[in-house]
Amino acid sequence: SSTGSQVVGVRVVDYPDLGFRGLHICVFPNTELAAVRQAMLVAARYKYNAVVIEFWSSLQSARRPETAYEHAYTPTQVKPLIELGRALHLEMIPMLNSWGHASGMRARSALHVVLDRFPQFRPLYAEDGWSFCLTNPAIYEHLFDRYAELLELFGQPRWFHLGLDEAWGHRGLMSSKRCRGDTPPTTLAKHVKRLYDYFAVRRIQVFVWHDMFIQRDHPQLGRVSPANSVPPFNSHLALEELPKDVVIAAWNYDETREWPVPKFFQDRGFRVVVCPWKSRRNAVMLLNLAKKHRLMGLLQTTWDSLDVALPTVAEAGMMAWAGPDF
């Protein structure tokens, strides 16, 4: 107006209901980096603030060349994705599964990226090759070499995802103590502490999947949870020894009723992120649960269905930002 006065048209109040909003992306040997780039752009568009990238025998390693196929991506090819993520204000987080999934491949592939070609490395793994052999100290040189390369590639990140899920080897090898020792929960606790200390001195905090720390036959939790702690390993007993600043990534892809597992870990002093996949009703339940209990946030997964999961990626991003029951 001629008097110079102004009328406020609108007041925008916009903030996320969940602080951590991460997207987990797998890079398999047949994953196109263009698809990873697209998923990262979708994540940024829907206000995610972190991306976890897990390479499955798909990233060449100078220190451990046996852990990737010859045609795998080079760090030079991957580096632009890390730089893109930073430009999009995404926390870029590397991941290396450090117990189960040690084959470097998915279970249904029946392949082992190392042992199918280099049987001399068999002592690093349990009898079936699926998990790292936790009683063999040589695994730490192997893992630490790979960690160091990932930390360099990702530019000294603040977070690292250790995996530790689906360590099924002990289920099929009940009679062997070679890789679990006489007191298996102690063996696992020492393993996690060794990995934790590696990152703690570098001021890096770690994520782990939840399932090996839940008892399969637990009357309340086992029925509704991916739960892999079974006798004689009883890995759930190692939970008491976990440092409380380890972040628990609680994954569930089917349940639509209120799921008690995240609160179970929260009540024991851990920060928790909920992890849906591609079911919308499941994602809605998990995100509302995270808001109800004021959990740390979301780690949306995509696994081997990156394109199929993108609609849920978008919906979960919107729900993580919006208020409860959106």
Side-chain angles (χ1 to χ4, degrees):
S1 69
S2 59
T3 61
S5 60
Q6 295 180 341
V7 177
V8 177
V10 65
R11 179 171 179 261
V12 177
V13 179
D14 189 25
Y15 61 89
D17 215 56
L18 296 178
F20 183 90
R21 303 175 305 284
L23 175 63
H24 171 243
I25 300 175
C26 295
V27 182
F28 297 103
N30 62 338
T31 303
E32 296 285 351
L33 294 186
V36 177
R37 184 179 187 276
Q38 179 190 34
M40 290 172 57
L41 291 171
V42 170
R45 168 65 182 82
Y46 287 96
K47 302 184 180 181
Y48 284 74
N49 57 9
V51 166
V52 175
I53 298 186
E54 179 178 9
F55 298 97
W56 295 72
S57 61
S58 59
L59 179 65
Q60 291 184 27
S61 167
R63 299 191 188 191
R64 299 288 167 171
E66 69 276 5
T67 59
Y69 293 114
E70 292 178 1
H71 64 272
Y73 295 116
T74 65
T76 301
Q77 289 174 295
V78 171
K79 188 70 174 179
L81 291 175
I82 312 301
E83 294 170 347
L84 171 65
R86 292 227 170 77
L88 295 171
H89 301 282
L90 296 165
E91 191 94 38
M92 298 303 294
I93 301 172
M95 176 175 174
L96 177 63
N97 216 322
S98 305
W99 186 19
H101 292 278
S103 68
M105 299 296 288
R106 301 298 299 276
R108 59 173 171 257
S109 73
L111 298 174
H112 197 299
V113 65
V114 176
L115 294 184
D116 286 352
R117 301 174 299 149
F118 305 103
Q120 67 268 32
F121 293 109
R122 182 161 294 282
L124 293 175
Y125 304 93
E127 281 83 343
D128 63 352
W130 180 252
S131 302
F132 284 108
C133 184
L134 301 192
T135 57
N136 182 357
I139 67 172
Y140 296 107
E141 286 183 40
H142 172 99
L143 289 170
F144 293 171
D145 277 350
R146 297 174 72 186
Y147 293 163
E149 289 180 327
L150 286 169
L151 295 183
E152 181 180 358
L153 176 60
F154 279 70
Q156 305 308 312
R158 296 193 302 165
W159 305 88
F160 194 98
H161 199 320
L162 291 171
L164 306 184
D165 63 321
E166 297 181 336
W168 294 328
H170 64 281
R171 285 165 45 194
L173 305 164
M174 297 298 187
S175 61
S176 174
K177 292 185 177 180
R178 180 176 72 89
C179 292
R180 69 171 187 252
D182 292 327
T183 53
T186 301
T187 300
L188 175 58
K190 288 181 178 177
H191 175 64
V192 177
K193 187 65 165 58
R194 185 86 179 264
L195 305 183
Y196 173 88
D197 287 346
Y198 175 93
F199 290 102
V201 298
R202 292 163 175 80
R203 298 187 178 182
I204 298 171
Q205 294 187 307
V206 297
F207 292 81
V208 302
W209 300 120
H210 87 280
D211 57 280
M212 296 306 299
F213 301 100
I214 291 285
Q215 194 174 0
R216 172 161 294 186
D217 59 359
H218 191 286
Q220 286 79 44
L221 305 179
R223 179 180 56 81
V224 296
S225 178
N228 287 333
S229 176
V230 296
F233 208 96
N234 292 321
S235 55
H236 66 285
L237 297 177
L239 183 64
E240 296 179 7
E241 303 299 320
L242 256 63
K244 289 298 190 286
D245 60 344
V246 170
V247 178
I248 303 293
W251 58 279
N252 186 307
Y253 307 142
D254 303 303
E255 187 66 55
T256 57
R257 299 166 297 175
E258 186 165 314
W259 188 42
V261 168
K263 190 171 188 303
F264 169 84
F265 286 102
Q266 184 188 49
D267 288 347
R268 280 149 187 80
F270 295 97
R271 291 172 296 170
V272 181
V273 293
V274 295
C275 308
W277 185 7
K278 54 189 177 182
S279 165
R280 183 177 184 276
R281 291 181 62 202
N282 168 259
V284 169
M285 179 277 293
L286 288 175
L287 284 154
N288 281 328
L289 188 71
K291 296 170 189 180
K292 176 181 177 179
H293 297 302
R294 299 187 175 276
L295 303 181
M296 176 175 162
L298 162 75
L299 182 58
Q300 170 71 40
T301 66
T302 56
W303 300 112
D304 54 357
S305 56
L306 183 57
D307 54 345
V308 176
L310 284 183
T312 312
V313 171
E315 291 172 337
M318 292 173 65
M319 287 185 284
W321 195 273
D325 299 316
F326 171 73

